[in-house]
Amino acid sequence: MNKTVWIVLGVIALVIFWGVGSRNSMATSDQDVKAKWANVQSAYQRRADLIPNLVKTVQGVANFEKSTLTAVIEARASATQMKLDSKDLSPENLQKYQAAQSSLGGALSRLMVVAENYPQLKATENFSELQAQLEGTENRIKEERDNFNAAVQAYNTLIVTFPNSLIASFSGFAEKGFFQAEAGSEKAPEVNFDEKK
């Protein structure tokens, strides 16, 4: 009987150590997701910080289309007001955040297209530098979003696989949302080099 008690106690100890180890792995993975989310927010903040300089540079050009500038300023205000805490990265909240950021990205794209019609603007060194910085920032945003999605995938896989799912449900770990492709991005843009006459 003494041997049986020790075996049972040994099995219980192993289960406890396994449970603690699993929970610690989940906590580590959760912290990784939070760190990646902070990097995403930092990249978006860099873009938001560049916009006032870009707008000031563009405003310096006479007769620039005011409605385009207004759209960029309003989209920036909307995107910077949308805050999402790393503790609440549900798919729904992430979708709202992504929509606000996509609106800003679209307004910036329109600004760049309209700027093509202003040779004196394109000739300024400040505008060229800001355009290059903005392009680099957009690349960083994409990279950070990819890193975030990879961390979320690892975290979600960890908490939904059995038997970890038991520990996750008792410990309050829930699945986190991914960044999704923007609506319509699955369609390749149409390129037409024929001149209209």
Side-chain angles (χ1 to χ4, degrees):
M1 177 158 157
N2 196 12
K3 188 175 184 180
T4 307
V5 170
W6 283 110
I7 291 173
V8 169
L9 288 176
V11 169
I12 290 172
L14 285 175
V15 169
I16 289 172
F17 285 129
W18 166 81
V20 169
S22 292
R23 195 205 176 285
N24 287 343
S25 294
M26 289 174 210
T28 300
S29 187
D30 184 50
Q31 290 302 311
D32 186 42
V33 169
K34 289 176 182 178
K36 300 292 191 227
W37 178 246
N39 291 344
V40 168
Q41 288 182 313
S42 175
Y44 277 125
Q45 185 62 51
R46 175 171 164 67
R47 178 175 70 178
D49 291 346
L50 286 173
I51 291 171
N53 293 331
L54 185 65
V55 168
K56 285 178 187 172
T57 302
V58 172
Q59 282 175 333
V61 175
N63 299 325
F64 193 83
E65 296 170 23
K66 303 291 183 215
S67 62
T68 305
L69 284 175
T70 302
V72 170
I73 293 167
E74 289 173 357
R76 179 186 183 270
S78 174
T80 55
Q81 285 176 356
M82 176 64 186
K83 304 290 185 207
L84 183 56
D85 189 73
S86 62
K87 295 175 185 167
D88 196 19
L89 295 174
S90 68
E92 299 81 23
N93 288 339
L94 201 56
Q95 190 174 22
K96 290 175 190 173
Y97 184 85
Q98 186 174 351
Q101 295 299 332
S102 294
S103 173
L104 178 56
L108 284 171
S109 294
R110 286 188 297 281
L111 175 68
M112 293 304 169
V113 168
V114 170
E116 292 294 320
N117 297 327
Y118 293 84
Q120 70 273 27
L121 176 62
K122 292 189 333 186
T124 65
E125 184 179 333
N126 196 22
F127 182 76
S128 296
E129 284 178 20
L130 287 168
Q131 197 173 15
Q133 286 181 21
L134 200 55
E135 182 179 325
T137 299
E138 292 297 330
N139 289 336
R140 278 189 223 153
I141 289 170
K142 191 233 181 280
E143 184 178 322
E144 294 302 342
R145 285 173 51 159
D146 289 348
N147 292 339
F148 172 78
N149 278 351
V152 168
Q153 190 269 331
Y155 168 82
N156 284 349
T157 300
L158 181 66
I159 68 163
V160 299
T161 53
F162 184 80
N164 288 342
S165 59
L166 299 173
I167 302 294
S169 65
F170 292 129
S171 300
F173 290 100
E175 283 190 65
K176 299 191 184 296
F178 291 93
F179 271 105
Q180 304 290 326
E182 292 181 36
S185 64
E186 69 278 0
K187 298 176 188 166
E190 211 174 287
V191 178
N192 185 355
F193 292 108
D194 295 335
E195 288 187 36
K196 303 246 181 202
K197 294 183 182 179

